[in-house]
């Protein structure tokens, strides 16, 4: 399994009322290498919280988080950061490209902390190949402000892939896009899953995208169910 949650609970304490509310209740899920799944659910149902836990950006209140067969509870902050940087690619609703860097520089950002010299050296070539794959080879020196929303989002997917992660976590990757650009991103993610065998979990409000990606899961009332 690339990632696995066992009986995960997550609760937050409200700053004002001091009341603790459980957002995730006894969530167990597993994702095999190269597998894809999508998660849909109402606003506030805990989808992003779940994705943050899966992406090792947050920890559960109780329960176990496994990545690539290892229990993450035994890892230091630095080890977790390394796994996040090298094995997981994140795509968010807004692209988070830095406006002062051109596309190539933005895409190469996640390669800066890499210790693997071969992977680092080949990054420029990989960035160009990936940009070509998403039809943006001619935009390599453009700045984010000179690109459309859909183009920025495609670049964000490329950036998520630059370190050849085993897992992609996408939170509303098409939320800010029109129908045609959303379709393109959905197709791109689906192709990456089928052709490059990258595992992925995609959170979305769009049932169309959810069905395109893989098995659809519903998160509601803190509970995850399969269609
Ligand atoms: N750091 C936090 N501290 C307190 N409460 C939080 C925190 N993060 C999330 N929550 C609460 O947990 C609940 C779930 O939030 P989450 O962002 O996971 O929902 P979501 O399903 O992603 O919603 P949306 O579809 O609107 O993005 C919300 O009620 C939110 O207020
Ligand atoms: Mg969210």
């Amino acid at each position: 399994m690339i990632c696995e949650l066992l009986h995960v609970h997550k609760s937050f304490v409200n700053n004002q009322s001091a009341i603790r509310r459980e957002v995730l209740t006894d969530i167990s899920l597993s994702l095999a290498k190269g597998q894809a799944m999508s998660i849909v659910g109402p606003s506030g149902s805990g989808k992003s919280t779940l994705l943050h836990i899966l992406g090792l950006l947050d920890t559960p209140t109780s329960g176990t988080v496994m990545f690539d067969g290892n229990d993450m509870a035994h890892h230091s902050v630095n080890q977790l950061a390394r796994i996040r940087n090298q094995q997981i690619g994140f795509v968010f609703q807004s692209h988070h490209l830095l406006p002062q860097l051109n596309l190539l520089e933005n895409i190469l950002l996640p390669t800066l902390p890499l210790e693997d010299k071969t992977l680092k050296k080949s990054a420029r070539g990989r960035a160009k190949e990936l940009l070509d794959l998403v039809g943006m080879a001619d935009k390599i020196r453009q700045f984010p402000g000179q690109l459309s929303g859909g183009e920025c989002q495609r670049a964000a997917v490329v950036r998520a892939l630059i370190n050849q992660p085993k897992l992609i976590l996408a939170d509303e990757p098409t939320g800010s896009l029109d129908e045609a650009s959303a379709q393109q991103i959905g197709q791109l993610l689906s192709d990456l899953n089928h052709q490059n065998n990258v595992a992925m979990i995609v959170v979305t409000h769009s049932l169309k995208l959810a069905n395109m990606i893989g098995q659809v899961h519903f998160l509601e009332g803190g509970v995850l169910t399969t269609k």
Side-chain angles (χ1 to χ4, degrees):
M1 291 296 159
I2 184 70
C3 64
E4 211 168 357
L5 299 184
L6 300 165
H7 304 293
V8 159
H9 292 251
K10 180 72 179 178
S11 52
F12 292 110
V13 180
N14 185 297
N15 288 339
Q16 282 162 2
S17 62
I19 292 171
R20 178 176 283 277
R21 188 169 81 85
E22 189 157 86
V23 175
L24 302 175
T25 302
D26 199 25
I27 306 261
S28 293
L29 72 81
S30 52
L31 192 76
K33 287 183 182 159
Q35 197 191 340
M37 65 178 265
S38 50
I39 299 173
V40 295
S43 177
S45 60
K47 303 181 299 298
S48 296
T49 304
L50 180 59
L51 222 53
H52 291 161
I53 291 173
L54 285 160
L56 316 179
L57 290 161
D58 198 357
T59 50
T61 311
S62 67
T64 306
V65 180
M66 311 273 288
F67 188 86
D68 214 3
N70 299 308
D71 187 342
M72 292 296 109
H74 306 312
H75 283 57
S76 68
V77 170
N78 284 344
Q79 284 172 316
L80 292 177
R82 195 171 303 134
I83 295 175
R84 271 202 304 274
N85 176 246
Q86 298 181 9
Q87 320 240 29
I88 306 177
F90 293 93
V91 183
F92 301 99
Q93 178 170 1
S94 48
H95 53 75
H96 294 296
L97 297 174
L98 298 181
Q100 66 274 35
L101 299 182
N102 71 30
L103 217 49
L104 181 63
E105 291 163 343
N106 262 293
I107 286 163
L108 291 176
L109 266 186
T111 69
L112 296 182
L114 280 183
E115 285 147 20
D116 184 334
K117 293 281 176 291
T118 349
L119 201 58
K120 205 165 180 162
K121 260 194 174 155
S122 56
R124 194 167 277 263
R126 246 185 359 265
K128 287 181 181 163
E129 267 172 39
L130 286 165
L131 278 170
D132 197 26
L133 181 79
V134 301
M136 291 177 61
D138 56 335
K139 304 260 158 71
I140 208 156
R141 306 274 167 212
Q142 303 267 95
F143 290 86
Q146 302 171 315
L147 300 167
S148 74
E151 287 170 337
C152 285
Q153 201 58 342
R154 273 184 273 162
V157 174
V158 169
R159 184 188 49 189
L161 288 166
I162 194 68
N163 287 347
Q164 301 180 312
K166 293 183 180 144
L167 173 67
I168 294 232
L169 297 175
D171 198 351
E172 287 282 351
T174 63
S176 59
L177 303 178
D178 66 19
E179 182 90 9
S181 310
Q183 172 74 21
Q184 254 181 347
I185 295 290
Q187 194 59 53
L188 173 61
L189 289 170
S190 170
D191 289 350
L192 287 167
N193 171 242
H194 290 118
Q195 290 160 20
N196 301 28
N197 215 30
V198 189
M200 62 182 66
I201 300 182
V202 177
V203 162
T204 177
H205 282 290
S206 155
L207 260 182
K208 194 171 167 195
L209 174 65
N211 282 312
M212 214 165 156
I213 295 299
Q215 194 179 28
V216 184
H217 292 67
F218 290 91
L219 186 62
E220 195 161 12
V223 180
L224 192 69
T225 51
T226 317
K227 205 178 181 181

